[in-house]
Structure formats: structure tokens, C-alpha cells
Amino acid sequence: MPPLPHCPPAAGAAVTGAGAAPTAGARSGRFPPHPPAASRIHLPRLLPPPSLSSSSTPSSSFPSPAASALHPSDEALSAMSPREQTSLLSRQRFWRRALDLFDRLRALPGYAPNPVHDAVLLRHLARARRWAELRRVWLGMALPPSNPAYAALADALAKAGLARGALLLLRHMRAQGVAPDEVSMNTFVRVLKDKGRYADALALFRNWCDGRFEVDFLDLDGIAIDSDCPMQFLLADICDDNFASGALAIDGGPRKPKLVATYNTLIDLYGKAGRLKDALDMFLDMPAHGVMPDKYTFNTLINIFGLAGNTAQAEALFASMVVRGINHDTKTYNVMMTVFASIGDLDGVLKYYRQIGKAGLHVDAVSSRIVLQVLCKRKMVREAEDVIEGTLNSGGSVHEQSLPVVIKMYVDLGLLDEANTFFERHCRGKGVSSKNFAAMIDAFAVKGLWEEAEHIFLSRGGDGNNKDIIEYNVMVKAYGRAKQYDRVSSLLESMEGYGVSPDECTYNSLIQMFSVGGFPQRAKKLLGKMKDAGFEPKCETYSAVIRSYSHHCLVPEAISLFNEMKSCGVEPNVIVYGLLIDMFAETGNVKEALHYSNLLEESGISPNQVVLTSLIKAYSKYNCWKEAQNLYSRMNNMDGGPDIIASNAMLNLYANLGMVTEAKEIFDSLRRNSNADGVSYTTMVYLYKGMGLLSESIKVACELQKSGLLSDCASYNAVISCYVAKGNLRDCAELVQEMILANIPPDASTFGMIFSLLQNGHVSAEEVLQLESAYNDGKSSAKQAILAFLFSIAGMHAAALEICEQLLRPEWTIDACAYNVCFKVYASCGKVEKPFSLFMQMNNLGLKPDTVTCIHLATCYGKPGVSEGQRTNALLEYSRTDEFMPSHNALVAYIESGKNNVAVQLVKK
């Protein structure tokens, strides 16, 4: 679909305005700039709602007629019909005014008690959470509670988060013998649906359809209620009556619902329960009972089919609305956008977003939130900013739930200045909820940006009481990720100073942080404080501390904490037992490892692969191959069989014992199943090599090299060892070069094998001895010099020259050994002028020539192909560096006659 024409932003309306300054620690520029405007998806601006039009702004000089109509005189009230009085009472916007109007109505001469008036007032008070006034009104009702009162109060209580209070009204209805009508039945079904109690909701509906009112099947004690809520007093009043059990017959017998709202509730109920066919059957059954679907019916159907992945059915329902003469509203488009957003279909979301304006409707806060969610997830910065701009230009503001989404987009892209500017403009001082404030902090915390997270945290007013515990918990996470442990301590002191008590999440986060950070004692201390605060740590909390103890080999402390958790009634799980077993396995204590393995099985827990692998490692330390083999056979009978760690442990055990056949059997099985890793291959290479099976070792080494599993120094060394044993200089050098290019530095084993290879007749003993001496003395340039030497004698001159060029840079300080290597490299490459310039440099630094120096110089200028002029000029320069230098003609003569040993003696005089 082609993009709609783009409206350029108005001056000063950009999302990232220039008025807000970034924080001192903010950073930007980590990522490439935004894509060019031509490649962006242009989005429509929001249409300004009529209520925000400048022409509709009411004057504040006189009360509006609407305001006067909400507060009529007593004479006007008396002249109203009961229906008009009900309408007036419903339109009150404040509970005090509703209560005042209700009292005025009851004081009117000849006023007849009206249960609908009671119901409307109860709804006002419940929505305002005015529990004392609600209780007074409930007890003061002139008539016994009826269906309107029950339905209104149950609806308001459920929306206030008091589902148990709403459902306990069913108990009161049953005790009073009040059978629910369709409205109240629909209300209670909706409450159960929204709590996820689909079976109970359907049971209540079916009983009602059968002409029975029964509540025995409801487990009302299983519904949570806020213990601090004053609703407790109301519940006591509701439950004063003796509970009557059994079913109550409803007048009229079996019936079918007649209200479209009931069908809408049931269609949504079936959809949420995953019963799409029943939902569709309910929809198709409506016309047969004289009930026509409305837009809410279609919106519900579209939502349940779309979120179930049936977008084709959702689009068909959307199209059928027009055929049935039902106009789409903004909510319909929002539902379609939600459907496509749920499957990540950006084009689908934008398609219906654009159609809102074309249909003459207004984009609302939900529309903007949905499209922003999708655009921010795709990191489409400019398009998201266009949507925000349109919202602002329409007189609206960014939906609170979108604030952390936009912040996260900027942070993920490294646009920290933009994130800070957005925060300053749209979040600071805007009354953002703690939940969304914590989400914004978390966007920085997960990236380790503790300074930026701290800036958001501290911007929440100067009073710590403005902060909720969830914000403190996220800051604990931010400091923990960045290992800012001292700041965590300060944060806890701040919490205490402002009277904010840590919750269970706080303690768990702190314990996890200190355990992972390597501070088991601090974690254990916090565990004690957690228990003192009245919390009961879970097994996972104990496990974190025990893991930290085991990693630091603090065996007594780990065992003590294990016993403590058992004494507190917390049963260890397989992870805790596994940690202890592995700890003893690593320390070679087979007896204790087996003891805890027996405790594990005695507790009714089957050991998993991790536990059995740890036991194999324990047996391996004492070469108990039969016991380890039995455990490995046991793992073969488990789902998935042994993992690679267990298999490698057995390979290592067999290799240590020289059990080639058994090791080969496991290795071949790993290869057949494509499970062999670098450790598997490395173990077999050394096993074959150690047993004198060089051809098999080389074969496995070549397979390892081709497998793409060379990922660490150990695996490279295994292959290099085969090349060294075979005396293959070139292949060895190429593999070392591959290591360097992969940023895997050679270790002591690598250099030991290089020395062994060089000693096998490739170079003189003096040269190898000097390289080994420099390496053992820890000379800064020794490793580079050895690699350059290796590459040079292997004929890899370009690689050798590159290292020499690095060594000769001013920032390097090199010794005589490195100079000697450079002599050899340059001479090997035919750069015969370079060695003597380097020799002069050596002389200026006070480095005296040694035997190796003379060998390289003599070899360089005694090479065939070096012209008389090159020899003479170089040796003339050489002779000028020392007044005791022998005649260059004599030196040339000795070199030309092949008597390099004599030339060396002359140079050393």
C-alpha cells in the first residue's frame, strides 16, 4: 500500500527538542545515523478531536448549561421522572456529588425507594473506593438488595481489583434467595472470565440457562483479596447471613439469553478458553434467538480469532461488518492493529492505522500505543517520532505505557542523548506510575548503563517517599549488572532512611547479585536479614549462595547452608544436590560426592545428567573407570542420552588409562551423531599420539582442522603437535598464523612445540638457544620474534616482514635477539641493505653483536646473487662503526670462498 502524504513537523514540535539538556554521563553516536528520509515509512498525523478545537473552548466566566443541569434545584428534581433521576445520578462525575444528590432525592416529599438509584450510588462509591460510605449506604437501603444493586456493585468491585468481594455477593444473593437476572448473571460470568476461571463461568451460565442458581461449585476462598482494603468490613456484612447450599430454582425455568451483551461476554469467554468453534457457534446462534450482533460482538470475534493466529478469519469478520451495515469504530481498527502486531506484521498494523483517518475517525491513545510499540520494536526511530509528533500536534500526549517502549528503542540503538531528551520532555514531572518508571530505568539497567539509570531514578522528585519498591529493585539490578556494589549499599541506606522496606524481590536480587559477583559471605548475611524480615527464602535463593560457596571451594560453609535450608523446611532440589556433588567431585572427594548422591535418591529425586556427569568426574580422579562406565551406561538409558560433557569426561578417563578401544567407541558415536566438539577431537589426538599411533592422530587432527571446531588454544595445539611429530614445518607455521588471525594467542605449549620443531635440523642450535633464552627471560619482544623467525624459515616472508615492521616501531623496545631475527627475515627477503642499518642501530643502543648476529650478517652478504657493490658498500658502512673492524676486503674474500665461520670470527674480534 503506498504511503500517505507526509506532513512536515511544525516548528518546535520535534520529539527530541533542543530545550532539554542531556545528562553529563549521556553518550551517543555509537550507531550509524538515521536512514535517509526517502527510505522511511510516512505515517499520517492524528486528527484533532472535536473537543480540542479552539472554537469549542468554553468560557470560564459563566457556568455552562451542562454544569447547571447536573445540579438542579429541588423543584426540578421533584418534577423529574424516576428514569430521569436515575440518568442524572449516573452522570455525576464525583462521588460526593452523587451521594449528595442521592440524599436530596430521598428527602423529596413522596419519594419512593428505588433499587436502581441504590445500584447507581453503590457503583459510584465502589469506583471511588469509598468503603465506609458504601457500607453505610448498603446497610441503609430501604429495600432488600436486588439484582440492580448486586450487578452494579459486583461490576465496580471487580474493576477495583476486588474479585473476591464481587463473587462473595453471589453467596449473599443465594442466602437471600435472590435469583440472578440476565444482567447480574452476565456480570458475574464476566468477573469469573476476567479472573481466568473459565470452567466456573460456563457452569454458572449453564445453570442459569437450565433455570437453576447454584454457587456450591465456586471455591471463593481461592480468590485473593487485598488484606489492607476496607472492603473487609463490607464482606463481613455480606456474609452475616447463614449460607444456604444447593440449587435455587429460577422462575421461568430454562431460558436463553436475550441481551447482546451476554452473547459478547460468552463469545469472549469461549475465545479466551481456546474454544473458537464454540465462540463461532454462539455468534451464529444469535439471530435465531432474535439477538443481532453489534460492533462489540465483531470486535470481540476479530480479537479472539486474530490472537489465535487466524488472521484470515479476522479479516473476513472485519469485511462482513460492512455487509451487515455495522460501521467500524476506532476500537475495531485498534483490534485489527493488535492482531497484526501480535504476529509482527508491520505492514498490517500500518494498513489499519492509516485507514482510521480515511474512515473519518480519530486515532486514539490506544491506536498510537499499538503503532508505537511495533515501530519501536523494529527500531524505526523517525517513523516513531512522526507518530509522537502527530499525537502532540493533536493536543494529546504520549500514552504512559509507550514511554518505556520509546526509551528502550533509543537506548538499544545507543541514542542516549535522544533518550534523555525524550525523558525530560515527556516523563519528568508527568506523574508516571512506578511500574512504567521502573521500566524506563530497566531499559538502561539491562545495558549496564548504571549512570543513566541512576539519573532517571533520582529524577523522581527529591523525596524518597515518591519512589516505590519496584524502582529500588530495578536500581539494585542496574548496580549489580555494572558491579557497582558500593552504590548498592548506599541505595539500601537510602531506602531505610525513607522508610521503604525491602521486599522479597529486593532480597532475592541482592543475594543473587552478591553470589554471582563472588561475595558469598555478603550473600549469606543478606539471607539472614531476609529471614529476620519475615520472608521465607525459596530453594532457588539458597541455591544461589551454595553455588557461590562451591565455586570458591568453601566446603564447610556450603554444607552448613545446606543443613540450614533443610532445618527451615526447604527441601533441596536436584540443582542444590548437583552443586554439592560437583563441588566434592572437583576436590576429588568421591566418598562425599557419593554420600550426597545417595541423599538425592533417598529424597525421591532422580539424578539428572549433570549429577551423573559430576560423579563420573569424581571417579575419573581416581581412575575408577568401571564405576564411571556404569554411570555412563545409565545415562545412555535416559532421554537424550549422555551430553557432550559426560562423553568428554569418559573420553578423558579412557585416554588417561590408554584405553583406546573404549575411547574410540565413544568418539565414533559422537561423530556419527555430529555431537563431537573440539575437546572430543583434542582428547583423541593426544590419545593416539601418546600411544604411538601417529597416523591415526594426524588423521583426527586433519579432521579437526576441517571441522571448524578449532576455537581455542588447546584444540590448535593438538593439531600442531601432530605437525611437529611429522616434522611438517610449513603446515605448523600456517596453523600458528591462523591462530593469530583468530585472536587466539599461542600459549607456553605452543611455543614449546615451535622450539621442538626448530631444533629438528631446521636452524642452528645457537639461534634456537637464543630464542628460548629470550622467551624464558620474559623479554617483551620474544614472542613476536619467535613467530617472525618461524614464518621466515617456513617461507612465509610476508607474515614475517609484517611482524618485523611492528617490532621496529618506536613504541617497541627490542633486544639483540629480536634484532637478530630481523636480520634473518630481511636477508631472507632479499632486503640486503636493511641488516646493516639495523646493525648500526644496535651499535648506537649499545647492543654488542653475538654469534647469531655474525651468522646472519655473514649469511646475508655471502648469499649468491648479492652484487660486489652491495657487499662492499654494506661492509664499508660496517667497518666505520668500529675502529677494530678487520679489512672489509678480507671479510668479503672469506665470504666469497664460503668460509663463513672465519668471517664470523673476524666480525667478533
Side-chain angles (χ1 to χ4, degrees):
M1 181 176 179
L4 297 178
H6 176 62
C7 299
V15 176
T16 54
T23 58
R27 301 180 289 272
S28 63
R30 300 180 183 174
F31 292 83
H34 300 315
S39 65
R40 290 166 15 210
I41 300 174
H42 298 305
L43 301 173
R45 254 185 210 175
L46 302 178
L47 296 175
S51 60
L52 295 175
S53 172
S54 59
S55 61
S56 64
T57 304
S59 171
S60 59
S61 302
F62 303 97
S64 67
S68 300
L70 290 176
H71 308 288
S73 63
D74 288 348
E75 291 77 11
L77 283 176
S78 299
M80 291 181 179
S81 67
R83 184 182 295 272
E84 290 173 330
Q85 292 172 346
T86 301
S87 175
L88 178 64
L89 190 60
S90 298
R91 287 185 287 120
Q92 298 300 313
R93 289 175 290 181
F94 304 102
W95 70 269
R96 288 186 183 278
R97 291 181 177 177
L99 183 58
D100 178 66
L101 179 60
F102 179 77
D103 289 338
R104 288 175 60 199
L105 285 172
R106 289 201 303 174
L108 291 174
Y111 173 77
N114 189 325
V116 179
H117 291 175
D118 295 335
V120 173
L121 181 60
L122 289 171
R123 180 186 289 113
H124 276 299
L125 296 174
R127 286 178 176 174
R129 305 178 76 87
R130 303 299 302 183
W131 310 120
E133 290 82 358
L134 188 148
R135 181 172 183 270
R136 180 174 64 82
V137 171
W138 178 271
L139 295 176
M141 288 192 297
L143 299 175
S146 60
N147 269 293
Y150 284 117
L153 184 55
D155 178 69
L157 290 174
K159 290 176 179 176
L162 301 171
R164 185 168 187 259
L167 294 177
L168 280 174
L169 288 170
L170 277 172
R171 183 189 295 266
H172 195 276
M173 287 181 71
R174 176 65 187 84
Q176 295 294 318
V178 179
D181 61 10
E182 185 172 344
V183 173
S184 57
M185 181 277 301
N186 179 44
T187 301
F188 289 115
V189 168
R190 190 174 66 250
V191 172
L192 288 166
K193 168 182 70 75
D194 293 342
K195 292 298 295 182
R197 300 178 62 169
Y198 306 131
D200 288 345
L202 287 172
L204 181 63
F205 170 70
R206 287 170 181 154
N207 287 340
W208 180 85
C209 290
D210 292 339
R212 295 184 298 113
F213 176 33
E214 185 177 353
V215 297
D216 292 350
F217 65 89
L218 287 174
D219 178 18
L220 298 180
D221 293 332
I223 308 171
I225 184 170
D226 186 354
S227 59
D228 297 330
C229 176
M231 184 63 189
Q232 291 284 358
F233 298 103
L234 178 60
L235 293 178
D237 291 335
I238 292 174
C239 298
D240 279 344
D241 302 283
N242 293 325
F243 177 64
S245 60
L248 175 69
I250 302 175
D251 293 340
R255 79 277 312 281
K256 287 286 186 181
K258 297 296 182 183
L259 301 177
V260 67
T262 306
Y263 282 94
N264 292 345
T265 299
L266 291 166
I267 288 170
D268 190 43
L269 168 60
Y270 281 125
K272 284 183 167 59
R275 299 169 58 173
L276 299 186
K277 184 180 182 303
D278 291 328
L280 191 58
D281 289 344
M282 179 69 70
F283 168 69
L284 297 174
D285 198 39
M286 292 176 69
H289 295 90
V291 183
M292 300 307 297
D294 60 9
K295 66 178 65 178
Y296 301 104
T297 313
F298 279 96
N299 288 349
T300 302
L301 278 168
I302 292 169
N303 186 61
I304 63 175
F305 276 100
L307 295 184
N310 196 338
T311 55
Q313 182 67 60
E315 290 191 289
L317 288 165
F318 181 85
S320 69
M321 291 179 69
V322 179
V323 176
R324 292 172 176 260
I326 301 175
N327 293 326
H328 304 131
D329 60 3
T330 302
K331 184 175 181 179
T332 311
Y333 288 102
N334 290 345
V335 170
M336 292 301 298
M337 290 167 61
T338 301
V339 166
F340 284 96
S342 68
I343 60 175
D345 188 341
L346 175 62
D347 293 335
V349 173
L350 296 179
K351 170 186 172 182
Y352 289 99
Y353 179 72
R354 294 184 179 109
Q355 287 183 13
I356 297 176
K358 288 185 175 182
L361 300 171
H362 304 306
V363 171
D364 62 11
V366 176
S367 315
S368 301
R369 177 172 56 82
I370 296 169
V371 76
L372 269 180
Q373 178 80 30
V374 177
L375 293 173
C376 291
K377 187 175 181 180
R378 294 286 189 92
K379 306 296 185 287
M380 300 174 69
V381 177
R382 294 303 187 195
E383 290 76 11
E385 290 176 346
D386 285 345
V387 173
I388 296 171
E389 177 192 334
T391 303
L392 300 179
N393 290 342
S394 299
S397 59
V398 181
H399 193 281
E400 182 178 320
Q401 292 183 18
S402 297
L403 298 177
V405 175
V406 178
I407 292 284
K408 184 177 186 302
M409 174 188 69
Y410 284 132
V411 173
D412 288 348
L413 292 173
L415 303 173
L416 302 186
D417 285 344
E418 287 81 349
N420 179 67
T421 304
F422 178 86
F423 172 80
E424 296 293 336
R425 184 175 185 187
H426 299 282
C427 310
R428 184 188 286 273
K430 302 293 185 181
V432 180
S433 68
S434 291
K435 178 181 178 181
N436 287 312
F437 222 86
M440 289 187 282
I441 299 172
D442 191 61
F444 293 100
V446 296
K447 297 292 184 181
L449 301 170
W450 66 269
E451 292 173 301
E452 289 80 357
E454 186 179 70
H455 169 72
I456 303 292
F457 176 77
L458 295 177
S459 69
R460 182 85 157 170
D463 186 0
N465 290 317
N466 291 335
K467 299 183 181 69
D468 190 81
I469 185 62
I470 187 174
E471 297 170 63
Y472 283 99
N473 289 344
V474 177
M475 273 312 301
V476 168
K477 174 182 177 180
Y479 289 141
R481 287 277 182 105
K483 304 187 186 312
Q484 297 291 321
Y485 302 119
D486 291 339
R487 290 185 173 272
V488 173
S489 301
S490 300
L491 182 69
L492 295 177
E493 293 175 4
S494 172
M495 287 177 63
E496 183 178 350
Y498 285 118
V500 181
S501 300
D503 62 5
E504 188 172 6
C505 178
T506 313
Y507 282 112
N508 282 329
S509 297
L510 289 168
I511 291 169
Q512 181 72 23
M513 178 188 69
F514 285 119
S515 297
V516 173
F519 301 96
Q521 301 298 354
R522 295 177 71 175
K524 175 62 172 63
K525 185 177 180 181
L526 281 165
L527 184 64
K529 286 186 176 181
M530 182 180 184
K531 291 195 288 187
D532 293 341
F535 298 106
E536 297 180 357
K538 304 288 190 301
C539 181
E540 293 76 15
T541 308
Y542 284 102
S543 175
V545 186
I546 291 175
R547 184 186 301 276
S548 187
Y549 279 142
S550 65
H551 284 175
H552 290 81
C553 295
L554 300 172
V555 177
E557 291 84 351
I559 298 304
S560 174
L561 186 56
F562 172 81
N563 293 329
E564 179 183 322
M565 71 180 290
K566 293 197 72 175
S567 66
C568 292
V570 181
E571 284 301 317
N573 59 14
V574 68
I575 296 176
V576 173
Y577 281 110
L579 289 170
L580 295 176
I581 292 168
D582 189 68
M583 176 179 66
F584 286 115
E586 290 293 336
T587 57
N589 194 333
V590 180
K591 181 179 178 182
E592 287 298 320
L594 291 174
H595 169 67
Y596 283 96
S597 174
N598 293 333
L599 287 180
L600 168 69
E601 300 204 45
E602 288 171 5
S603 66
I605 303 174
S606 298
N608 59 15
Q609 291 179 332
V610 175
V611 171
L612 295 179
T613 301
S614 296
L615 290 173
I616 289 175
K617 288 194 298 184
Y619 283 128
S620 298
K621 297 216 180 257
Y622 291 93
N623 293 330
C624 300
W625 65 270
K626 286 186 177 179
E627 292 83 354
Q629 193 176 65
N630 290 335
L631 290 174
Y632 191 74
S633 299
R634 183 177 175 183
M635 294 177 73
N636 274 315
N637 297 324
M638 298 172 65
D639 291 340
D643 60 12
I644 188 61
I645 299 176
S647 298
N648 285 339
M650 286 302 301
L651 276 179
N652 185 65
L653 174 58
Y654 288 144
N656 290 338
L657 298 174
M659 301 171 67
V660 177
T661 303
E662 291 79 0
K664 184 177 183 301
E665 182 180 347
I666 293 178
F667 182 62
D668 289 343
S669 174
L670 290 174
R671 284 195 296 186
R672 279 195 305 271
N673 298 317
S674 301
N675 291 329
D677 63 3
V679 175
S680 314
Y681 279 97
T682 299
T683 304
M684 292 304 296
V685 167
Y686 285 121
L687 171 59
Y688 283 135
K689 184 171 175 287
M691 298 300 293
L693 302 172
L694 187 57
S695 59
E696 286 82 356
S697 178
I698 293 173
K699 181 180 177 181
V700 175
C702 292
E703 188 177 336
L704 171 59
Q705 190 172 3
K706 295 175 182 177
S707 67
L709 295 173
L710 290 175
S711 57
D712 56 18
C713 199
S715 55
Y716 274 101
N717 285 346
V719 181
I720 291 172
S721 69
C722 292
Y723 289 141
V724 171
K726 191 179 178 182
N728 194 331
L729 175 64
R730 178 75 183 205
D731 288 340
C732 178
E734 288 179 350
L735 200 56
V736 171
Q737 184 185 35
E738 185 180 318
M739 286 181 70
I740 297 169
L741 294 176
N743 292 320
I744 301 175
D747 62 5
S749 297
T750 315
F751 284 106
M753 288 186 288
I754 291 174
F755 294 139
S756 176
L757 184 66
L758 295 177
Q759 289 168 351
N760 291 336
H762 291 285
V763 292
S764 66
E766 291 86 349
E767 291 173 292
V768 178
L769 181 62
Q770 186 178 67
L771 290 171
E772 281 191 281
S773 177
Y775 178 81
N776 293 331
D777 292 343
K779 302 291 186 182
S780 60
S781 56
K783 293 181 179 180
Q784 294 293 94
I786 295 166
L787 296 176
F789 192 92
L790 172 66
F791 295 152
S792 178
I793 63 173
M796 299 166 60
H797 301 301
L801 277 173
E802 183 179 355
I803 294 176
C804 289
E805 294 295 332
Q806 293 175 358
L807 286 173
L808 295 173
R809 289 174 183 170
E811 59 266 23
W812 281 83
T813 301
I814 61 177
D815 59 359
C817 175
Y819 274 110
N820 289 339
V821 171
C822 290
F823 294 154
K824 182 177 185 66
V825 170
Y826 284 115
S828 300
C829 298
K831 298 180 178 292
V832 295
E833 300 291 343
K834 189 72 173 178
F836 268 100
S837 65
L838 292 179
F839 176 78
M840 294 172 66
Q841 187 175 326
M842 280 184 65
N843 188 68
N844 292 335
L845 293 173
L847 298 174
K848 296 298 182 182
D850 56 20
T851 302
V852 178
T853 311
C854 300
I855 291 173
H856 291 325
L857 287 174
T859 303
C860 174
Y861 293 102
K863 288 178 64 176
V866 177
S867 67
E868 175 67 23
Q870 288 175 314
R871 294 194 189 102
T872 304
N873 292 336
L875 291 171
L876 278 173
E877 292 295 327
Y878 191 5
S879 66
R880 295 184 187 128
T881 64
D882 195 321
E883 58 182 339
F884 301 107
M885 181 66 194
S887 167
H888 72 274
N889 291 328
L891 184 58
V892 170
Y894 284 124
I895 292 174
E896 287 179 337
S897 64
K899 298 179 180 180
N900 290 342
N901 58 334
V902 181
V904 167
Q905 294 302 318
L906 287 174
V907 173
K908 294 181 68 176
K909 284 183 179 179

